[in-house]
Amino acid sequence: MAQIGKDISQAKSLLEQGQLVGIPTETVYGLAGNALNPDAVAKIFATKNRPVFDPLILHTSALERVHEFVIEIPFPLDLLAAKFWPGPLTLLLPKKGIVPDLVTSGLDTVAVRVPNHPLTQQLLSELDFPLAAPSANPFGYISPTKASHVEDQLGEKIAYILDGGDCEVGLESTIVGIEEGKVTVYRLGGLDLNDIKEVVGEVNVMTHSTSNPKSPGMLKSHYSPTKPFIIGNLKVLISEYSKKGIPFAVISFHQTFPSINHAKQIQLSKVGDLNEAAKNLFAAMRTLDTMDVSVILSELLPEDGLGRAINDRLRRAAVQ
Ligand code: TXA
Ligand code: MG
């Protein structure tokens, strides 16, 4: 199994040898390799079982270094970069030749992000190459928000996991680019859409695509637990599944259900805070997915702030 620790120099030396390391970010844990080394990048795809047509995000330590990898940061994406990096924002930018085609799946844009986590910031600033890092989960499954999540699923395939504790944001980065001259959001995520609108005005939201998706994270079924995941009015669902005698577990925003064993229900935020709910969402899905139940029941959260990105993940989890 992978070793788990806080040893940045060990992580650094493994990455320099072309190995993969689990890294913490404020959004979710990443499965990192040297983005400029095609062999290391190929290992990322193989380790995750990820199709090579699904491009990776390139992570670097600071805005100034982004220019080594992209031709430009066009207006008004430059305003977003200046305001929100380091942070849960990924920009799609025209790539330079130095970025291997394998990273971008042959596209002429590269997804770039400056993550905001002290350990990974330090690691990135000590490395002389950027890191390609998808979420550290098998393709299609829920993203990891704790080092132990990475260990559970990829521990046998990688040497080291840098332990940065629980991810503060808990949802993947928001992906933004420009399409036909308009700022376009391709994945709702940890940076609130309203914060983006405050800087650039109205934006296109294009997060769904059924065929030939620009980004496979746009596929309707993604970020999914193994168990059937049903969304609806929890009171109605609970009574229906109780009557049918089908064992279930429940994810709610803040409501508790006295008739249900407390181990089989998780409140995402007892005080009804959407940021806290985002932080707890993926761990809750994982916990209930490994429990001895046949189905997970959930409800949608209010569609404001991070609620919109949370609901996006819940809806995708519910598509079988
Ligand atoms: O928060 C995050 O973004 C995390 C942490 C580790 O940084 N990473 C992450 O990576 O979620 P991943 O690979 O699980 O999701 C990246 C998404 C994929 O849906 C991919 O298709 C899309 O970004 N993507 C990457 N490069 C792209 C490009 N050039 N054009 C369009 N979509 C792209
Ligand atoms: Mg992912």
Coordinates of all heavy atoms in Angstrom, one line a residue, residues 15-68:
L15 N 8.2 12.3 -7.6 CA 7.7 12.9 -8.9 C 8.9 13.2 -9.9 O 8.7 13.0 -11.1 CB 7.0 14.3 -8.5 CG 5.7 14.1 -7.8 CD1 5.3 15.4 -7.0 CD2 4.6 13.6 -8.7
E16 N 10.0 13.5 -9.3 CA 11.2 13.7 -10.2 C 11.6 12.4 -10.9 O 12.2 12.4 -12.0 CB 12.4 14.3 -9.4 CG 12.1 15.8 -9.2 CD 13.1 16.4 -8.1 OE1 13.8 15.7 -7.4 OE2 13.1 17.6 -8.0
Q17 N 11.3 11.3 -10.3 CA 11.6 10.0 -10.9 C 10.5 9.5 -11.9 O 10.6 8.4 -12.4 CB 11.8 8.9 -9.8 CG 13.0 9.0 -8.9 CD 12.8 8.3 -7.6 OE1 12.2 7.2 -7.6 NE2 13.3 8.8 -6.5
G18 N 9.5 10.3 -12.1 CA 8.4 10.0 -13.0 C 7.3 9.1 -12.3 O 6.5 8.6 -13.0
Q19 N 7.4 9.1 -11.0 CA 6.3 8.3 -10.2 C 5.1 9.2 -10.0 O 5.2 10.4 -10.1 CB 6.9 7.8 -8.9 CG 8.1 7.0 -8.9 CD 7.9 5.6 -9.4 OE1 6.9 5.0 -9.1 NE2 8.7 5.1 -10.3
L20 N 4.0 8.6 -9.5 CA 2.8 9.3 -9.2 C 2.7 9.5 -7.7 O 3.0 8.6 -6.9 CB 1.6 8.6 -9.7 CG 1.6 8.2 -11.2 CD1 0.2 7.7 -11.6 CD2 1.9 9.4 -12.1
V21 N 2.1 10.6 -7.3 CA 1.9 10.9 -5.8 C 0.5 11.4 -5.7 O 0.0 12.3 -6.5 CB 3.0 11.9 -5.4 CG1 2.7 12.4 -3.9 CG2 4.4 11.3 -5.4
G22 N -0.2 11.0 -4.6 CA -1.5 11.6 -4.3 C -1.2 12.9 -3.6 O -0.4 13.0 -2.7
I23 N -1.9 14.0 -4.1 CA -1.6 15.3 -3.4 C -2.9 16.0 -3.0 O -4.0 15.9 -3.6 CB -0.9 16.3 -4.4 CG1 -1.7 16.5 -5.7 CG2 0.5 15.8 -4.7 CD1 -1.3 17.7 -6.5
P24 N -2.8 16.7 -1.8 CA -4.0 17.4 -1.4 C -4.2 18.7 -2.1 O -3.2 19.4 -2.5 CB -3.7 17.7 0.1 CG -2.2 17.8 0.1 CD -1.6 16.9 -0.9
T25 N -5.4 19.1 -2.4 CA -5.7 20.5 -2.8 C -6.9 21.0 -2.0 O -7.5 20.2 -1.2 CB -6.0 20.6 -4.3 OG1 -7.4 20.3 -4.6 CG2 -5.1 19.8 -5.2
E26 N -7.3 22.2 -2.1 CA -8.4 22.7 -1.4 C -9.7 22.1 -1.9 O -10.7 22.1 -1.2 CB -8.5 24.2 -1.4 CG -9.0 24.9 -2.7 CD -7.9 24.9 -3.8 OE1 -7.1 24.0 -3.8 OE2 -8.0 25.8 -4.6
T27 N -9.7 21.6 -3.2 CA -10.9 21.1 -3.8 C -11.1 19.6 -3.4 O -11.9 19.2 -2.6 CB -11.0 21.3 -5.3 OG1 -9.8 20.6 -5.9 CG2 -11.0 22.8 -5.6
V28 N -10.2 18.8 -4.1 CA -10.2 17.3 -3.8 C -8.8 16.9 -4.0 O -7.9 17.7 -4.4 CB -11.1 16.6 -4.9 CG1 -12.6 17.0 -4.8 CG2 -10.6 16.7 -6.3
Y29 N -8.5 15.6 -3.6 CA -7.1 15.1 -3.8 C -6.9 14.8 -5.3 O -7.8 14.4 -6.0 CB -6.9 13.8 -3.0 CG -6.5 14.1 -1.5 CD1 -7.4 14.6 -0.6 CD2 -5.2 14.0 -1.1 CE1 -7.0 14.9 0.7 CE2 -4.8 14.2 0.2 CZ -5.7 14.7 1.1 OH -5.3 15.0 2.4
G30 N -5.6 15.1 -5.7 CA -5.3 14.8 -7.1 C -4.3 13.6 -7.2 O -3.6 13.3 -6.2
L31 N -4.2 13.0 -8.3 CA -3.3 12.0 -8.6 C -2.2 12.6 -9.5 O -2.5 12.8 -10.7 CB -3.9 10.8 -9.3 CG -3.0 9.7 -9.8 CD1 -2.4 9.0 -8.6 CD2 -3.8 8.6 -10.6
A32 N -1.1 13.0 -8.9 CA -0.2 13.9 -9.6 C 1.0 13.2 -10.3 O 1.6 12.2 -9.7 CB 0.3 15.0 -8.7
G33 N 1.4 13.7 -11.4 CA 2.6 13.3 -12.1 C 3.2 14.4 -12.9 O 2.5 15.4 -13.1
N34 N 4.5 14.3 -13.3 CA 5.2 15.4 -14.0 C 4.4 15.6 -15.3 O 4.5 14.7 -16.2 CB 6.6 14.9 -14.3 CG 7.4 15.9 -15.1 OD1 6.8 16.9 -15.7 ND2 8.7 15.7 -15.2
A35 N 3.8 16.8 -15.5 CA 3.0 17.1 -16.7 C 3.8 17.1 -17.9 O 3.3 17.0 -19.0 CB 2.2 18.4 -16.5
L36 N 5.2 17.3 -17.8 CA 6.0 17.5 -19.0 C 6.6 16.2 -19.4 O 7.4 16.1 -20.4 CB 7.0 18.6 -18.8 CG 6.5 19.9 -18.4 CD1 7.6 21.0 -18.3 CD2 5.4 20.4 -19.3
N37 N 6.4 15.1 -18.7 CA 6.9 13.8 -18.9 C 5.8 12.8 -19.4 O 5.0 12.4 -18.6 CB 7.6 13.3 -17.6 CG 8.0 11.8 -17.7 OD1 7.7 11.1 -18.7 ND2 8.8 11.4 -16.8
P38 N 5.7 12.6 -20.7 CA 4.6 11.8 -21.3 C 4.5 10.4 -20.6 O 3.4 9.9 -20.5 CB 5.0 11.6 -22.7 CG 5.8 12.8 -23.0 CD 6.6 13.1 -21.8
D39 N 5.6 9.8 -20.1 CA 5.5 8.5 -19.5 C 4.8 8.6 -18.2 O 3.9 7.8 -17.8 CB 6.9 7.9 -19.2 CG 7.6 7.5 -20.5 OD1 6.9 7.2 -21.5 OD2 8.8 7.4 -20.5
A40 N 5.1 9.7 -17.4 CA 4.4 9.9 -16.1 C 2.9 10.2 -16.4 O 2.0 9.6 -15.7 CB 5.0 11.0 -15.4
V41 N 2.6 10.9 -17.4 CA 1.2 11.3 -17.8 C 0.5 10.0 -18.2 O -0.7 9.8 -17.8 CB 1.2 12.3 -18.9 CG1 -0.3 12.6 -19.3 CG2 1.8 13.6 -18.4
A42 N 1.1 9.1 -19.0 CA 0.5 7.9 -19.4 C 0.2 7.0 -18.1 O -0.9 6.4 -18.1 CB 1.4 7.1 -20.3
K43 N 1.0 7.0 -17.1 CA 0.8 6.3 -15.9 C -0.5 6.8 -15.2 O -1.2 6.0 -14.6 CB 2.0 6.5 -14.9 CG 3.0 5.4 -15.0 CD 4.0 5.6 -13.9 CE 5.4 5.1 -14.4 NZ 6.5 5.6 -13.6
I44 N -0.7 8.1 -15.3 CA -1.9 8.7 -14.6 C -3.2 8.0 -15.3 O -4.1 7.6 -14.6 CB -2.0 10.2 -14.8 CG1 -0.8 10.8 -14.0 CG2 -3.3 10.7 -14.3 CD1 -0.7 12.4 -14.2
F45 N -3.2 8.0 -16.6 CA -4.4 7.5 -17.3 C -4.6 6.0 -16.9 O -5.7 5.5 -16.6 CB -4.2 7.6 -18.8 CG -4.5 9.0 -19.3 CD1 -3.4 9.9 -19.6 CD2 -5.8 9.5 -19.5 CE1 -3.6 11.2 -20.0 CE2 -6.0 10.8 -19.9 CZ -4.9 11.6 -20.2
A46 N -3.5 5.2 -16.9 CA -3.5 3.8 -16.6 C -4.0 3.6 -15.2 O -4.9 2.7 -14.9 CB -2.2 3.2 -16.9
T47 N -3.4 4.3 -14.2 CA -3.8 4.1 -12.8 C -5.2 4.4 -12.5 O -5.8 3.7 -11.7 CB -2.8 5.0 -12.0 OG1 -1.5 4.7 -12.3 CG2 -3.1 4.8 -10.5
K48 N -5.8 5.4 -13.2 CA -7.2 5.8 -13.0 C -8.2 5.0 -13.8 O -9.4 5.2 -13.7 CB -7.4 7.3 -13.3 CG -7.2 8.2 -12.2 CD -7.7 9.6 -12.7 CE -9.1 9.7 -12.9 NZ -9.8 10.6 -11.9
N49 N -7.6 4.2 -14.8 CA -8.5 3.6 -15.8 C -9.2 4.7 -16.6 O -10.4 4.5 -16.9 CB -9.5 2.7 -15.1 CG -9.4 1.3 -15.5 OD1 -8.9 1.1 -16.6 ND2 -9.7 0.4 -14.6
R50 N -8.5 5.8 -16.9 CA -9.2 6.9 -17.5 C -9.0 6.9 -19.0 O -7.8 6.6 -19.5 CB -8.6 8.2 -16.9 CG -9.2 9.5 -17.5 CD -8.5 10.6 -16.7 NE -8.8 11.9 -17.2 CZ -9.3 12.8 -16.3 NH1 -9.7 12.5 -15.1 NH2 -9.5 14.0 -16.8
P51 N -10.0 7.1 -19.8 CA -9.8 7.1 -21.2 C -8.9 8.2 -21.7 O -9.0 9.3 -21.1 CB -11.2 7.3 -21.8 CG -12.1 7.7 -20.7 CD -11.4 7.3 -19.4
V52 N -8.0 8.0 -22.6 CA -7.0 9.0 -23.0 C -7.7 10.2 -23.7 O -7.0 11.2 -23.9 CB -5.9 8.5 -23.8 CG1 -5.0 7.6 -23.0 CG2 -6.4 7.7 -25.0
F53 N -9.0 10.1 -24.1 CA -9.6 11.3 -24.7 C -10.1 12.3 -23.6 O -10.6 13.3 -24.0 CB -10.8 10.9 -25.6 CG -11.9 10.1 -24.9 CD1 -12.8 10.8 -24.1 CD2 -12.0 8.8 -25.1 CE1 -13.8 10.1 -23.4 CE2 -13.0 8.1 -24.4 CZ -13.9 8.7 -23.6
D54 N -9.8 12.0 -22.3 CA -10.3 12.9 -21.3 C -9.1 13.7 -20.7 O -8.3 13.1 -19.9 CB -10.9 12.0 -20.2 CG -11.6 12.9 -19.1 OD1 -11.5 14.1 -19.2 OD2 -12.2 12.3 -18.2
P55 N -8.9 14.9 -21.1 CA -7.7 15.7 -20.8 C -7.5 16.0 -19.3 O -8.5 15.9 -18.5 CB -7.8 17.0 -21.6 CG -9.3 17.1 -21.8 CD -9.8 15.7 -21.9
L56 N -6.3 16.3 -18.9 CA -5.9 16.5 -17.5 C -5.7 18.0 -17.2 O -5.4 18.8 -18.1 CB -4.6 15.8 -17.2 CG -4.6 14.3 -17.5 CD1 -3.2 13.7 -17.2 CD2 -5.7 13.6 -16.7
I57 N -5.8 18.4 -16.0 CA -5.5 19.7 -15.5 C -4.1 19.9 -15.1 O -3.5 19.0 -14.5 CB -6.4 20.1 -14.3 CG1 -7.9 20.1 -14.7 CG2 -6.1 21.5 -13.8 CD1 -8.9 20.3 -13.6
L58 N -3.4 20.9 -15.6 CA -2.1 21.2 -15.3 C -2.0 22.2 -14.1 O -2.7 23.2 -14.1 CB -1.4 21.8 -16.5 CG 0.1 22.1 -16.5 CD1 0.6 21.8 -17.9 CD2 0.4 23.5 -16.2
H59 N -1.3 21.8 -13.0 CA -1.2 22.5 -11.8 C 0.2 23.2 -11.6 O 1.2 22.5 -11.8 CB -1.4 21.6 -10.6 CG -2.8 21.0 -10.5 ND1 -3.2 20.0 -11.4 CD2 -3.9 21.1 -9.7 CE1 -4.4 19.6 -11.2 NE2 -4.9 20.3 -10.1
T60 N 0.1 24.5 -11.3 CA 1.4 25.1 -11.1 C 1.3 26.1 -9.9 O 0.2 26.3 -9.4 CB 1.9 25.9 -12.4 OG1 3.2 26.4 -12.2 CG2 1.0 27.0 -12.8
S61 N 2.4 26.6 -9.4 CA 2.4 27.3 -8.1 C 1.9 28.7 -8.1 O 1.5 29.2 -7.1 CB 3.8 27.2 -7.5 OG 4.7 27.9 -8.3
A62 N 2.0 29.4 -9.3 CA 1.7 30.8 -9.3 C 1.3 31.3 -10.7 O 1.7 30.7 -11.7 CB 2.9 31.6 -8.8
L63 N 0.5 32.3 -10.7 CA 0.0 32.9 -12.0 C 1.2 33.2 -12.9 O 1.1 33.0 -14.1 CB -0.8 34.2 -11.6 CG -1.2 35.1 -12.8 CD1 -2.0 34.3 -13.8 CD2 -2.1 36.2 -12.2
E64 N 2.3 33.7 -12.3 CA 3.5 34.1 -13.2 C 4.0 32.9 -14.0 O 4.5 33.1 -15.1 CB 4.6 34.7 -12.4 CG 4.3 35.9 -11.5 CD 3.5 35.5 -10.2 OE1 4.2 34.9 -9.4 OE2 2.3 35.8 -10.1
R65 N 3.9 31.7 -13.4 CA 4.4 30.5 -14.1 C 3.5 30.0 -15.1 O 3.9 29.2 -16.0 CB 4.8 29.4 -13.0 CG 6.0 29.8 -12.2 CD 6.3 28.7 -11.2 NE 7.0 27.6 -11.7 CZ 7.5 26.6 -11.0 NH1 7.3 26.6 -9.7 NH2 8.1 25.6 -11.6
V66 N 2.2 30.4 -15.1 CA 1.3 29.9 -16.1 C 1.7 30.2 -17.5 O 1.5 29.4 -18.4 CB -0.1 30.4 -15.8 CG1 -1.1 30.1 -16.9 CG2 -0.6 29.9 -14.4
H67 N 2.4 31.4 -17.7 CA 2.8 31.8 -19.0 C 3.9 30.9 -19.6 O 4.0 31.0 -20.8 CB 3.3 33.3 -18.9 CG 2.1 34.2 -18.5 ND1 1.2 34.6 -19.4 CD2 1.8 34.7 -17.3 CE1 0.3 35.3 -18.8 NE2 0.6 35.4 -17.5
E68 N 4.5 30.1 -18.8 CA 5.4 29.1 -19.4 C 4.7 28.1 -20.3 O 5.3 27.4 -21.1 CB 6.2 28.3 -18.3 CG 7.1 29.2 -17.5 CD 7.6 28.5 -16.2 OE1 7.8 27.2 -16.3 OE2 7.8 29.1 -15.2

